[in-house]
């Protein structure tokens, strides 16, 4: 398995770097936040991303996508992480669309995937019901009725859930919360009767929503995959999501580190740059080493997913765990090394720390990833 990008991936990374640095700098997130933008991202820029082929990068060519793979999407996400760019890349391109591709019926794939590629449809995956990532603890029920199911319950921290055109809902069709068996996936229109969507104001100013479902009816044809066996279809997609999020977190950590390094070179005390102090050099060196280890872990996970390796789940857990630890270290050190200014909203560096704390929890924090890694190894 190579950890070096090929020419096509390198070109894609360069294109993404130019796009996000010019079109979606950190100031763009500030503008969305300060204006209380109801959408939470720039639809015109999302359309530009779709025209570049990024919305369909994990979608097969039969449905209009490029099927370029996780390594390619990882490079885009890494560059997006550098500018804290708000977009449906994670909710739609990384999570929901691959799940529709993997488990959706032919009719559902035809209805949704070309629209995702075109940038005209935003999808969201509704998993969580509590503060921690735990799909098996799903309590939202799907009760059978003639011709379909009735959904009752709630979901929280649904990325882009307040504006998604379509939702993929994880529901319990058998067993009890905590059981791995008895979970089923359903497609639901964003304007379904009985569905209430409330936007959550997250500390990192990115999009999430609370969903309340009261007697929401879906047809039998709206089911994705096998009845009661959702985790078998969901886990591979979540592994891809973990690796992709780790790539975005790597970009965030790299940018925070580089900004801090630049600050150490210009901030002076006692007539010299503080970057010349040995203690601060040691702290910067530690961050650099952890970033390089994280880069290797992320690329290994993305490459394994593209190769269809049996090691993909392990490497995805490893990458997300390492990214969580590295981003926590770098974001905390970045704010501290900036001194008092780092604690104010005037400095962008605090936005990186806020994003870090949210990203660490998405799809499982470092503790979750280590526990899953151990379980996969049979411990």
């Amino acid at each position: 398995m190579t950890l070096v990008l090929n020419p096509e991936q390198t070109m894609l990374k360069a294109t993404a770097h130019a796009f996000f640095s010019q079109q979606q700098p950190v100031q763009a997130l500030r503008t969305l936040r300060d204006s209380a933008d109801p959408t939470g991202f720039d639809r015109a820029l999302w359309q530009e991303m779709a025209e570049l082929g990024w919305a369909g990068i994990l979608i097969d060519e039969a449905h209009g996508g490029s099927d370029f793979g996780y390594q390619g999407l990882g490079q885009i996400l890494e560059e997006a992480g550098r500018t804290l760019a708000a977009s449906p890349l994670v909710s739609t391109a990384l999570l929901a669309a691959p799940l529709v591709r993997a488990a959706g019926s032919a009719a559902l794939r035809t209805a949704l995937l070309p629209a995702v590629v075109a940038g005209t449809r935003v999808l969201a995956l509704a998993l969580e019901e509590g503060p921690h990532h735990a799909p098996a603890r799903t309590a939202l029920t799907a009760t059978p009725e003639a011709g379909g199911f009735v959904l009752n319950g709630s979901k929280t921290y649904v990325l882009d859930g307040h504006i998604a055109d379509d939702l993929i809902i994880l529901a319990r069709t058998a067993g009890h919360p905590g059981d791995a068996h008895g979970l089923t996936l359903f497609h639901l229109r964003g304007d379904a009767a009985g569905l209430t969507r409330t936007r959550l104001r997250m500390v990192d100013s990115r999009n999430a929503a609370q969903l309340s479902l009261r007697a929401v009816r879906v047809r039998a044809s709206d089911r994705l995959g096998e009845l009661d066996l959702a985790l078998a279809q969901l886990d591979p997609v979540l592994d891809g999501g973990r690796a992709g999020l780790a790539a975005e977190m790597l970009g965030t950590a790299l940018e925070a580190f580089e900004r801090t390094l630049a600050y150490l070179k210009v901030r002076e005390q006692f007539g010299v740059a503080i970057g010349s102090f040995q203690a601060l050099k040691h702290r910067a060196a530690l961050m650099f080493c952890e970033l390089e280890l994280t880069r290797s872990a992320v690329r290994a996970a993305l490459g394994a997913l593209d190769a269809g390796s049996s090691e993909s789940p392990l490497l995805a857990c490893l990458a997300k765990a390492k990214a969580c630890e590295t981003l926590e270290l770098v974001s905390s050190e970045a704010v501290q090394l900036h001194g008092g200014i780092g604690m104010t909203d005037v400095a962008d560096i605090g936005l990186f720390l806020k994003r870090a704390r949210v990203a660490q929890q998405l799809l499982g924090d470092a503790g979750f990833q280590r526990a899953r890694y151990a379980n996969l190894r049979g411990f």
Side-chain angles (χ1 to χ4, degrees), residues 3 24 84 90-91 118 156 256 263 281 286 311 320 338 356 363:
L3 301 182
Q24 284 192 286
L84 309 178
V90 172
S91 63
T156 192
Y263 184 78
K281 288 181 180 180
L286 174 62
E311 296 288 296
K320 181 62 164 60
H338 271 77
L363 300 187

Side-chain angles (χ1 to χ4, degrees), residues 276-290:
S276 65
F277 300 161
Q278 189 175 43
L280 301 192
K281 288 181 180 180
H282 289 169
R283 290 164 72 173
L286 174 62
M287 287 189 282
F288 176 82
C289 292
E290 294 302 307

Side-chain angles (χ1 to χ4, degrees), residues 59-70:
I59 295 175
D60 55 293
E61 294 181 12
H63 291 98
S66 63
D67 211 2
F68 197 70
Y70 282 98

Side-chain angles (χ1 to χ4, degrees), residues 256 326-336 352-353 356-357:
T326 298
L327 184 51
E328 179 169 3
L329 169 70
V330 173
S331 60
S332 298
E333 286 284 69
V335 169
Q336 189 172 61
F352 287 81
L353 183 142
R357 296 303 177 266

Side-chain angles (χ1 to χ4, degrees), residues 9-298:
Q9 292 161 350
T10 301
M11 184 180 299
L12 179 60
K13 183 178 178 66
T15 301
H17 180 81
F19 179 87
F20 287 113
S21 60
Q22 296 168 17
Q23 302 291 333
Q24 284 192 286
V26 175
Q27 182 56 41
L29 180 66
R30 284 186 176 275
T31 300
L32 290 169
R33 181 197 68 178
D34 296 344
S35 64
D37 184 270
T39 301
F41 65 88
D42 189 319
R43 288 190 180 274
L45 288 177
W46 174 239
Q47 186 62 48
E48 288 188 39
M49 292 185 216
E51 291 170 2
L52 286 167
W54 297 352
I57 205 164
L58 296 181
I59 295 175
D60 55 293
E61 294 181 12
H63 291 98
S66 63
D67 211 2
F68 197 70
Y70 282 98
Q71 194 73 265
L73 182 55
Q75 306 318 306
I76 298 170
L77 288 167
E78 181 181 322
E79 296 304 325
R82 281 182 171 271
T83 66
L84 309 178
S87 81
L89 271 173
V90 172
S91 63
T92 301
L94 179 64
L95 294 174
L99 188 55
V100 171
R101 176 184 178 180
S105 65
L108 188 62
R109 293 197 300 270
T110 300
L112 297 187
L113 296 184
V116 168
V117 173
T120 59
R121 213 153 184 164
V122 173
L123 311 184
L125 176 60
L127 290 180
E128 315 299 354
E129 297 183 9
H132 302 292
H133 177 63
R137 295 181 189 170
T138 292
L140 184 149
T141 59
T143 306
E145 69 170 13
F149 295 82
V150 180
L151 307 184
N152 284 284
S154 62
K155 295 289 183 181
T156 192
Y157 304 119
V158 181
L159 300 182
D160 293 317
H162 69 298
I163 46 83
D165 301 291
D166 298 85
L167 299 156
I168 307 301
I169 306 282
L170 182 65
R172 182 158 296 284
T173 45
H176 305 281
D179 295 343
H181 179 79
L183 296 171
T184 306
L185 292 161
F186 294 94
H187 164 246
L188 182 67
R189 289 282 304 180
D191 58 359
L195 171 65
T196 302
R197 305 191 285 181
T198 305
R199 185 177 181 182
L200 300 176
R201 296 292 176 178
M202 304 288 283
V203 69
D204 66 342
S205 304
R206 297 278 288 269
N207 282 345
Q210 178 92 21
L211 308 183
S212 175
L213 290 81
R214 296 292 178 265
V216 176
R217 284 174 164 78
V218 295
R219 300 164 300 177
S221 59
D222 288 321
R223 193 186 77 211
L224 280 74
E226 297 295 324
L227 185 70
D228 297 336
L229 300 176
L231 289 189
Q233 293 119 17
L234 186 59
D235 278 344
V237 174
L238 293 183
D239 287 332
R242 291 173 184 118
L245 279 171
E248 184 190 66
M249 294 168 73
L250 171 63
T252 302
L254 285 167
E255 182 68 19
F257 173 70
E258 290 169 11
R259 288 174 177 239
T260 302
L261 205 60
Y263 184 78
L264 294 178
K265 293 176 180 179
V266 298
R267 177 71 168 91
E268 292 189 355
Q269 284 186 357
F270 312 113
V272 296
I274 62 174
S276 65
F277 300 161
Q278 189 175 43
L280 301 192
K281 288 181 180 180
H282 289 169
R283 290 164 72 173
L286 174 62
M287 287 189 282
F288 176 82
C289 292
E290 294 302 307
L291 284 165
E292 291 304 303
L293 287 171
T294 304
R295 192 199 308 273
S296 296
V298 169

